[in-house]
Amino acid sequence: MPEVDVDRVPLVDYLVLGDEPHLVAQECTTCGARYFDRRSACASCGLQEFHAVDIPTTGTLRSFTIVHSAAAGVQVPFVAGIVDCDGTSVKGNVVNTPPDPEHVNLGMPVRLTTMSIGVDAAGVEAVGYGFEPAN
């Protein structure tokens, strides 16, 4: 069977794929507040000028919860977390580790990882992100 060339698309606009996947935030040029996705105005200072900044791919888990109930089709339990990536808070699931307090803890170092979310009938793969233990 011939190899199929699968196109890849990020699940969110702020995920950059390629050799070194990373997240990109919009930073207010006035106050430095950072946001993911498009913004019309800064929620902190109200001004409307932004520039793109790459977010570090490593960070520290600052908060998490182990989710035991979710929508139909979503596998539980899973870990939802907030990661401090050098001053930028990023929401994402903690993956590639068992979803229990013995394996996930506050202050643990994590790194960005990507994973396939699925492939459609045209062969286009949706790629999402999460964070995995860094050690």
Side-chain angles (χ1 to χ4, degrees):
M1 181 175 220
E3 195 172 306
V4 177
D5 186 22
V6 177
D7 290 323
R8 300 175 78 211
V9 296
L11 189 62
V12 292
D13 289 337
Y14 50 89
L15 172 60
V16 177
L17 301 176
D19 291 339
E20 297 181 23
H22 62 280
L23 302 176
V24 175
Q26 297 302 309
E27 182 177 78
C28 177
T29 57
T30 302
C31 72
R34 291 183 175 176
Y35 305 95
F36 292 103
D37 281 331
R38 184 187 172 289
R39 286 284 172 159
S40 296
C42 178
S44 182
C45 72
L47 295 181
Q48 300 172 333
E49 250 182 77
F50 299 88
H51 65 272
V53 294
D54 291 348
I55 302 302
T57 58
T58 59
T60 304
L61 186 62
R62 293 294 180 211
S63 181
F64 74 92
T65 188
I66 299 172
V67 179
H68 291 276
S69 179
V74 176
Q75 204 166 23
V76 291
F78 67 89
V79 180
I82 298 176
V83 175
D84 178 354
C85 292
D86 199 25
T88 300
S89 290
V90 183
K91 295 176 186 174
N93 289 348
V94 180
V95 299
N96 300 330
T97 191
D100 62 58
E102 290 180 32
H103 295 91
V104 180
N105 52 68
L106 295 179
M108 72 186 272
V110 294
R111 67 175 163 253
L112 183 78
T113 188
T114 59
M115 72 282 295
S116 179
I117 303 301
V119 178
D120 69 11
V124 177
E125 178 185 29
V127 179
Y129 74 91
F131 291 90
E132 63 186 1
N135 46 356

